[in-house]
Amino acid sequence: MTAPQADGLRLRTAPPRRRAWRAQAPVVAVVALGGALGALARYALSLALPTSPGGFPWATFWTNVTGCAVIGVFMVVLTDVWAAHRLVRPFFGTGVLGGFTTFSTYAVDIQKLVSSGHARTGLAYLAVTLCAALAAVSLAVAATRRALRRRAGTTA
């Protein structure tokens, strides 16, 4: 005896794209929320440290250097210490810090400085920001790991 044909009895499942979107929707939402918070913090800093035409863009400089230092601490804590919820990294790392740091404004500031006749300031800003941001993340990683080792009672 053979089983009857069941072609007309197919189960309806959501297409793969819809399932993928549903799985990613919380990530997109927390990145958007974190990005809005980070951008608000960046804007507040730009109001606190206004830049005069042709002057060194201190607000953008400190935003990027601080953001790099914070991401250094954050990544050590997430990778070495804390098994965080799956939405913490997208919220804080991508969202808040991505919205706070502003390397696109950094590029525009350089272009404005150079095109307005302040090439030395623009080139100094280009080099100093890059070096300071890289140093900030490296020093933050090292300092955080050292602090964690001391806290754990080891000095290696």
Side-chain angles (χ1 to χ4, degrees):
M1 186 164 153
T2 61
Q5 291 291 342
D7 288 338
L9 299 175
R10 290 190 180 157
L11 295 175
R12 298 193 82 192
T13 59
R17 282 187 180 173
R18 182 174 289 168
R19 277 183 268 145
W21 170 246
R22 284 186 184 154
Q24 292 300 315
V27 175
V28 171
V30 298
V31 168
L33 177 63
L37 295 173
L40 284 172
R42 175 173 30 106
Y43 180 67
L45 189 57
S46 73
L47 292 178
L49 298 171
T51 302
S52 61
F56 195 88
W58 288 107
T60 306
F61 173 82
W62 287 116
T63 297
N64 289 331
V65 172
T66 303
C68 286
V70 171
I71 203 157
V73 172
F74 178 67
M75 292 311 295
V76 169
V77 169
L78 275 188
T79 57
D80 296 359
V81 178
W82 185 36
H85 186 276
R86 72 179 188 93
L87 296 178
V88 170
R89 185 181 283 181
F91 170 74
F92 190 73
T94 305
V96 174
L97 292 175
F100 180 69
T101 57
T102 175
F103 284 92
S104 59
T105 302
Y106 163 68
V108 170
D109 287 344
I110 293 165
Q111 186 271 328
K112 283 182 181 177
L113 285 166
V114 171
S115 67
S116 67
H118 299 93
R120 284 186 186 171
T121 304
L123 293 174
Y125 174 56
L126 180 138
V128 170
T129 300
L130 180 63
C131 292
L134 290 172
V137 74
S138 297
L139 291 171
V141 166
T144 304
R145 287 197 172 130
R146 180 176 296 140
L148 290 171
R149 281 193 304 268
R150 283 188 183 162
R151 183 175 173 219
T154 62
T155 57

